[in-house]
Amino acid sequence: MQRSYYSNNLSKFTKDDTNKILGELARHHNHALEDLQKNAWIKQIELLKQVFYNYKEGYIFFEFSIPRMGKRVDNIIIIDDSIFVVEFKVGSSTYDKNAIEQVIDYSQDLKNFHEGSHTQKLFPILISTEANNIENTIEKLQDKLYKPLLANKNSLLNVIEQCLNIEKKHNVCPLTWQSSIYKPTPTIIEAAQALYKGHNVQDISRSDSGAINLSITTDKINQIIDTSKETNKKSICFITGVPGAGKTLAGLNIANERMNIDENEHAVFLSGNGPLVDVLREALTRDEVNNAKDRGQKLTKKEAAIKTHAFIQNIHHFRDDSLISDRAPIEKVVVFDEAQRAWNKEQTSSFMKRKKGQDDFDSSEPRFLIDVMNRHEDWCTIICLIGGGQEINTGEAGLEEWIDSLQSYFPNWNIYLSNLIIDDKNYLKDDTLKEWLTVNANIDENLHLSVSVRSFRSEKLSDFIHSILDLDLIKSKGLYNNFLKNDYPIVLTRDFEKAKKWLKEKSIGSERSGVIASSGAYRLRPFGINVKNQVDAPVWFLNNRDDIRSSYFNEEVATEFDIQGLELDWTCVCWDGDFYFQNNQWMFRKFKGTKWQNINKDIIKNYLLNAYRVLLTRARQGMIIFIPNGSIDDKTRLPEYYDETFHYLKEIGIQEV
């Protein structure tokens, strides 16, 4: 893949014919070339030629690709040991806030995901050609990434030379830098947008040897679907993975690929996670409208939504449509996201009786969904995305119900899964079902995603959180000291204002931060943390810093139900007395009326444990954990409900701020 539209060393660039450069840029430009873009390029070329006229060393790239963001930065200029990330606003008389954020985002993306940029000095520069002179201070934002610099057509050379006066280290080789590996870790929202635009999973996912390549899993599923199609067999595949391993990304990729392979398969991505469906649909719809605008086309949001809603559907709507008719659905390939959250028989029967008027419904949701696909006379394939230890709501059946349904009612289906389902207690606890699977299922290790790619800073986060919740102090200390302490910031505080300040300091550019808490954290209300006020998920996850309803404002708090399957860059996890450490064990409670009540049922305890597991694995770059001091004057917030938890985490090595 060609990273830039045009590149050359600075000496040759300044002597190169402007029309020749323009021709190169136009040749690689995918959209219709508007006069506005053409004229902006001409002015950009002419200004840069003037600035670098006397430079013998250095290299310039025009329209350099930033794959994870699906965008191109106007210029990358490499001189000595410095990399300048340049965004032009030709004709602009202001230094626009959004443009500053954009150039920071480009620089951050290179720093985090482009191997050649990891240890180099990066200077983001916004050039508003007609703006006033600004006195810049050369300061670091983080590590070797510097704060954005502002320049106009007259001050750019001075800004560049200010940066070059900083103590020099080893020079960057531009061609080596250009060809170095780009290993993006997109958010699920960015991934969905990229796949929907036609990128494949290799373009947007990491390819390093430390992670199981998502494309291998996709290839395996494609083989299973093709075999089912050729042999007229029905098949079901279970893709498992640790939190953040890319299960949803794998599912979206499979549904997207099958749509492109054969639209008659009507492949669809189904999820019972309402916030995830709403957020992804809204993100794709907004993106479609913006892309059409860039192409000079008019597309209404309503028109764009029709297509995106067909690609991503709520599983309950799929279920309800299948109640109306006993005919086979149009879909031959269905991906069920978070399939472990499908309802058991009791929950499904109760819902059907209360909401659908079906008094005699006696099936679990997994059994009913398989039965719906079983209506096909020839072939079909179900792909279930399974997270171990992520059931968080009453009536969620886990993997057992899917396997039990297959054993009892669908013996002719071909079953495909990884050995982890049999070996790991977090997936399947029933030994009888495990024994049945060893005989009746096809075992393939490529159906398990073992490394978290949510947190590009530390793949060990998931293991670390597991060890904390398992009360394995030795393992927790080892993982923290060896893998997280220097790579993935985790800190503690007892002051909520400090927590919010920490989030604001850490989050740069458009990096997303937010406050999250357990849905049972009722006694955080004295701090303005009200979990009973439900967030509008698309607004909270997608709207910008100017919207008080967005996650950035730290006013509205998301719970495990809002954020499961999604992620932020930085989180504040607020810890309440519903789940606390005492006498070397976890205590489980729910708040009712005016007091806490102990939880005695193991399954409800498990839901609460998993709620905190979800909350503690949502941050891609780092988190602060807020644990209040408690109050001796409030029986619902006694210090004993918080202090031991705080000291337990501190004993692991997590620092207080």
Side-chain angles (χ1 to χ4, degrees):
M1 170 183 168
Q2 186 165 325
R3 287 267 169 86
S4 62
Y5 286 179
Y6 169 90
S7 62
N8 214 333
N9 65 50
L10 288 175
S11 177
K12 289 181 179 177
F13 159 68
T14 57
K15 296 177 178 62
D16 215 347
D17 182 68
T18 295
N19 285 328
K20 178 176 174 287
I21 298 170
L22 187 64
E24 281 288 296
L25 296 175
R27 188 165 67 87
H28 294 290
H29 192 60
N30 292 326
H31 307 309
L33 185 56
E34 305 287 335
D35 284 344
L36 193 66
Q37 176 65 76
K38 189 171 108 176
N39 292 333
W41 274 338
I42 291 170
K43 287 177 180 171
Q44 186 180 332
I45 293 165
E46 289 173 348
L47 173 57
L48 291 171
K49 280 187 172 188
Q50 289 173 20
V51 168
F52 296 112
Y53 184 76
N54 292 317
Y55 274 71
K56 304 298 180 192
E57 301 296 329
Y59 213 87
I60 188 166
F61 300 89
F62 277 76
E63 300 291 333
F64 189 88
S65 174
I66 307 287
R68 185 182 71 99
M69 300 171 72
K71 294 183 179 178
R72 290 181 175 273
V73 60
D74 288 338
N75 295 101
I76 300 285
I77 299 162
I78 298 177
I79 302 171
D80 298 337
D81 65 342
S82 299
I83 300 169
F84 299 95
V85 183
V86 179
E87 182 67 12
F88 265 91
K89 295 300 174 188
V90 173
S92 176
S93 59
T94 60
Y95 298 108
D96 183 66
K97 185 172 138 188
N98 290 333
I100 295 170
E101 190 173 278
Q102 186 178 38
V103 75
I104 294 173
D105 286 345
Y106 290 151
S107 305
Q108 266 283 80
D109 203 85
L110 288 169
K111 177 180 177 292
N112 290 329
F113 307 118
H114 183 244
E115 202 167 65
S117 303
H118 287 340
T119 58
Q120 307 300 339
K121 289 189 287 190
L122 286 160
F123 296 95
I125 301 180
L126 171 63
I127 303 170
S128 294
T129 56
E130 310 307 315
N132 293 328
N133 276 349
I134 292 283
E135 186 151 347
N136 290 287
T137 305
I138 312 294
E139 289 181 74
K140 285 184 183 177
L141 198 56
Q142 53 178 228
D143 195 19
K144 292 189 176 181
L145 172 61
Y146 285 77
K147 287 186 176 180
L149 302 163
L150 308 178
N152 59 29
K153 62 186 178 185
N154 300 314
S155 64
L156 177 57
L157 179 60
N158 181 53
V159 170
I160 295 274
E161 291 185 338
Q162 264 187 282
C163 299
L164 294 175
N165 283 332
I166 296 173
E167 182 187 358
K168 290 183 174 59
K169 299 285 185 178
H170 301 292
N171 285 358
V172 179
C173 172
L175 298 181
T176 303
W177 177 87
Q178 177 189 222
S179 60
S180 66
I181 298 169
Y182 187 88
K183 299 186 286 192
T185 305
T187 67
I188 194 59
I189 295 168
E190 291 166 338
Q193 289 169 328
L195 291 171
Y196 202 63
K197 283 178 187 170
H199 293 275
N200 61 40
V201 77
Q202 290 94 330
D203 293 337
I204 60 170
S205 65
R206 297 169 46 166
S207 56
D208 53 311
S209 58
I212 293 178
N213 196 328
L214 287 164
S215 63
I216 296 174
T217 300
T218 303
D219 290 344
K220 175 54 62 177
I221 295 294
N222 279 328
Q223 288 173 24
I224 293 168
I225 293 171
D226 291 337
T227 301
S228 300
K229 201 171 181 178
E230 290 162 9
T231 59
N232 267 343
K233 296 285 186 183
K234 297 181 176 73
S235 56
I236 185 166
C237 314
F238 295 95
I239 298 177
T240 52
V242 299
K247 297 181 293 295
T248 300
L249 172 54
L252 286 166
N253 187 48
I254 290 158
N256 192 60
E257 279 204 9
R258 296 315 297 189
M259 279 199 316
N260 294 329
I261 290 169
D262 185 352
E263 63 181 18
N264 292 321
E265 291 177 4
H266 297 283
V268 66
F269 180 89
L270 299 171
S271 177
N273 182 339
L276 176 71
V277 171
D278 293 343
V279 169
L280 291 182
R281 280 177 163 181
E282 178 67 14
L284 294 182
T285 300
R286 291 184 188 186
D287 210 36
E288 277 283 280
V289 172
N290 290 334
N291 291 335
K293 187 178 177 183
D294 290 342
R295 295 191 297 268
Q297 300 168 349
K298 188 176 180 181
L299 181 70
T300 68
K301 196 171 177 185
K302 189 174 182 180
E303 289 169 336
I306 292 170
K307 187 181 168 191
T308 61
H309 285 211
F311 176 50
I312 296 174
Q313 296 181 30
N314 192 304
I315 196 171
H316 298 133
H317 298 162
F318 177 84
R319 177 201 64 202
D320 294 348
D321 286 344
S322 302
L323 287 168
I324 298 168
S325 167
D326 59 2
R327 290 188 303 178
I330 193 172
E331 295 86 0
K332 304 290 291 230
V333 176
V334 294
V335 179
F336 291 144
D337 189 35
E338 295 182 13
Q340 79 281 354
R341 295 185 65 187
W343 291 343
N344 59 27
K345 180 179 173 181
E346 291 72 26
Q347 184 76 4
T348 311
S349 299
S350 171
F351 175 84
M352 291 297 182
K353 185 174 182 178
R354 287 181 290 108
K355 301 290 187 180
K356 303 296 176 184
Q358 297 205 13
D359 293 341
D360 56 350
F361 196 92
D362 66 345
S363 172
S364 68
E365 200 167 34
R367 177 185 160 190
F368 179 69
L369 293 170
I370 300 171
D371 189 52
V372 168
M373 295 302 288
N374 198 50
R375 296 173 187 174
H376 286 289
E377 291 183 3
D378 47 5
W379 74 279
C380 65
T381 300
I382 295 173
I383 299 104
C384 291
L385 310 179
I386 302 284
Q390 291 187 52
E391 303 83 16
I392 59 174
N393 208 349
T394 303
E396 291 180 354
L399 182 56
E400 268 92 353
E401 192 60 50
W402 287 94
I403 306 302
D404 186 59
S405 296
L406 289 163
Q407 180 189 33
S408 303
Y409 302 102
F410 307 101
N412 295 325
W413 278 58
N414 290 333
I415 304 168
Y416 298 86
L417 44 79
S418 82
N419 59 303
L420 262 291
I421 282 180
I422 295 168
D423 298 340
D424 189 332
K425 66 178 183 179
N426 282 313
Y427 291 106
L428 201 58
K429 296 178 175 67
D430 190 313
D431 289 334
T432 306
L433 291 179
K434 287 182 182 179
E435 289 173 17
W436 182 79
L437 283 175
T438 56
V439 177
N440 293 280
N442 301 283
I443 311 296
D444 193 308
E445 63 179 8
N446 291 320
L447 296 178
H448 180 73
L449 301 166
S450 63
V451 178
S452 175
V453 293
R454 172 179 294 126
S455 169
F456 55 86
R457 286 184 178 272
S458 178
E459 295 166 348
K460 296 293 182 180
L461 177 65
S462 177
D463 289 344
F464 177 62
I465 299 306
H466 272 297
S467 66
I468 287 176
L469 297 177
D470 287 345
L471 300 177
D472 190 336
L473 188 60
I474 294 173
K475 186 177 180 181
S476 298
K477 283 182 175 180
L479 286 167
Y480 182 75
N481 289 319
N482 295 325
F483 299 104
L484 289 120
K485 193 172 184 179
N486 298 319
D487 296 328
Y488 184 94
I490 304 176
V491 293
L492 290 166
T493 187
R494 314 217 64 175
D495 185 329
F496 187 46
E497 291 307 313
K498 280 186 180 178
K500 290 190 286 186
K501 184 183 176 190
W502 187 89
L503 282 185
K504 285 184 177 176
E505 288 171 351
K506 289 292 181 184
S507 176
I508 64 174
S510 63
E511 287 179 345
R512 198 149 202 111
S513 62
V515 177
I516 59 179
S518 154
S519 58
Y522 282 22
R523 295 310 297 137
L524 293 175
R525 201 162 58 178
F527 305 97
I529 302 166
N530 189 355
V531 296
K532 293 182 81 172
N533 280 355
Q534 192 169 0
V535 302
D536 182 334
V539 169
W540 197 80
F541 278 101
L542 300 176
N543 286 22
N544 62 29
R545 291 179 186 274
D546 298 328
D547 192 325
I548 60 170
R549 302 164 300 167
S550 75
S551 67
Y552 290 117
F553 253 76
N554 299 327
E555 285 190 8
E556 295 191 4
V557 58
T559 71
E560 70 273 18
F561 299 116
D562 301 309
I563 204 166
Q564 188 176 39
L566 292 158
E567 64 259 302
L568 300 174
D569 288 294
W570 305 91
T571 63
C572 169
V573 179
C574 302
W575 204 304
D576 199 14
D578 56 336
F579 178 70
Y580 67 100
F581 185 70
Q582 190 176 71
N583 298 326
N584 295 316
Q585 62 181 334
W586 292 116
M587 308 300 290
F588 302 82
R589 304 189 304 176
K590 64 179 178 180
F591 196 80
K592 195 165 184 181
T594 60
K595 61 183 180 181
W596 291 106
Q597 294 181 346
N598 290 329
I599 295 172
N600 297 313
K601 285 187 178 179
D602 286 342
I603 192 166
I604 307 299
K605 287 181 179 180
N606 206 42
Y607 292 147
L608 184 51
L609 185 78
N610 288 339
Y612 274 83
R613 193 190 314 277
V614 167
L615 295 170
L616 291 163
T617 54
R618 293 307 98 185
R620 288 158 51 81
Q621 300 204 51
M623 66 178 148
I624 185 165
I625 301 171
F626 165 55
I627 303 177
N629 279 307
S631 169
I632 56 172
D633 299 321
D634 182 346
K635 290 183 179 178
T636 66
R637 295 192 299 117
L638 293 174
E640 65 197 66
Y641 302 155
Y642 305 98
D643 290 351
E644 282 197 56
T645 307
F646 178 80
H647 293 303
Y648 168 55
L649 296 178
K650 205 165 180 184
E651 189 179 355
I652 290 166
I654 301 174
Q655 299 297 305
E656 182 181 4
V657 295

